[in-house]
Amino acid sequence: KQEVTQIPAALSVPEGENLVLNCSFTDSAIYNLQWFRQDPGKGLTSLLLIQSSQREQTSGRLNASLDKSSGRSTLYIAASQPGDSATYLCAVYPNDYKLSFGAGTTVTVRA
Amino acid sequence: KAGVTQTPRYLIKTRGQQVTLSCSPISGHRSVSWYQQTPGQGLQFLFEYFSETQRNKGNFPGRFSGRQFSNSRSEMNVSTLELGDSALYLCASAVEAGAQETQYFGPGTRLLVL
């Protein structure tokens, strides 16, 4: 059974600092990995999707890398802003087609 | 383009009752998936529908069921509610079924079972 772990569970940084969020998964047989953002009490917003054949994806200040062989992905957020405060979740799409989520990293960016 | 909509947004029920939640996908999307989010278990996959057929199912009891209509709208039903069913229920839509697609989530329905 695929297990997805996100470390740390919570992170607090001053505005302007770069954020590094980690995600690991136990089964490397995945189709893709997605990073989502969730604001309190709200649904999820897709940030980046990395196909299994890709090594990284970039969108604006966000960059996500994928290393399937080691079962790891990292989400980098450059020059963090208070508006980046949210919970960030990674999810992998494994062979059984059941999207598996990590517990998330809650980020607080202090002004 | 309108996003994924879910109704109702909030719901309070008592144990033993049943509930039906509705999800309208983004126009043109044919895949709808449902998830349950709780503080203890996090986000867990319930089921996925594509072209009115259940394509995949998570590890939930038979009290949880769903269906999809010809216009891709989907409903989820939970019968004989238990306290542990209190959760945020999220649905997500995608253009097609399959691993290449980005999932777009709705705002969720928050269910409280008393």
Side-chain angles (χ1 to χ4, degrees):
Chain A
K1 182 192 167 193
Q2 179 73 262
E3 290 190 7
V4 183
T5 304
Q6 291 187 246
I7 294 173
L11 191 57
S12 179
V13 299
E15 183 177 2
E17 193 163 301
N18 296 333
L19 286 164
V20 180
L21 309 179
N22 298 301
C23 171
S24 62
F25 46 95
T26 54
D27 188 344
S28 61
I30 64 170
Y31 287 106
N32 67 41
L33 182 145
Q34 299 184 51
W35 282 94
F36 295 90
R37 167 187 171 136
Q38 185 174 31
D39 293 287
K42 303 284 182 64
L44 277 64
T45 301
S46 177
L47 297 174
L48 291 167
L49 181 151
I50 312 175
Q51 301 294 353
S52 63
S53 58
Q54 297 175 314
R55 298 282 295 186
E56 66 176 341
Q57 276 283 1
T58 299
S59 176
R61 295 183 295 112
L62 276 59
N63 174 276
S65 64
L66 174 64
D67 184 343
K68 262 184 53 175
S69 60
S70 67
R72 293 182 184 181
S73 176
T74 302
L75 177 67
Y76 301 89
I77 303 177
S80 61
Q81 305 167 357
D84 294 329
S85 298
T87 296
Y88 291 84
L89 298 124
C90 77
V92 298
Y93 204 91
N95 286 348
D96 64 1
Y97 300 102
K98 300 174 185 178
L99 198 61
S100 296
F101 283 85
T105 294
T106 299
V107 171
T108 302
V109 181
R110 308 186 303 271
Chain B
K1 215 180 218 186
V4 178
T5 57
Q6 291 186 245
T7 57
R9 293 292 313 280
Y10 304 93
L11 209 46
I12 300 175
K13 292 286 187 179
T14 56
R15 279 183 300 173
Q17 287 187 310
Q18 77 164 28
V19 67
T20 299
L21 312 181
S22 180
C23 172
S24 293
I26 292 171
S27 177
H29 286 196
R30 296 195 294 162
S31 169
V32 174
S33 300
W34 288 89
Y35 300 85
Q36 181 196 65
Q37 186 175 32
T38 59
Q41 299 296 319
L43 263 160
Q44 293 185 287
F45 171 80
L46 278 158
F47 24 66
E48 179 190 6
Y49 287 88
F50 179 75
S51 292
E52 302 179 66
T53 301
Q54 187 179 85
R55 186 168 174 264
N56 215 337
K57 189 177 191 304
N59 298 323
F60 279 81
R63 300 185 297 106
F64 291 81
S65 63
R67 59 178 175 167
Q68 186 180 34
F69 302 94
S70 59
N71 62 358
S72 294
R73 190 178 70 85
S74 177
E75 286 183 348
M76 190 192 98
N77 184 276
V78 187
S79 62
T80 319
L81 284 166
E82 300 177 359
L83 296 179
D85 297 333
S86 295
L88 180 66
Y89 290 88
L90 295 163
C91 86
S93 74
V95 175
E96 299 283 343
Q100 315 307 316
E101 302 292 326
T102 296
Q103 303 258 327
Y104 295 89
F105 281 77
T109 293
R110 188 164 295 279
L111 172 65
L112 177 61
V113 182
L114 301 175

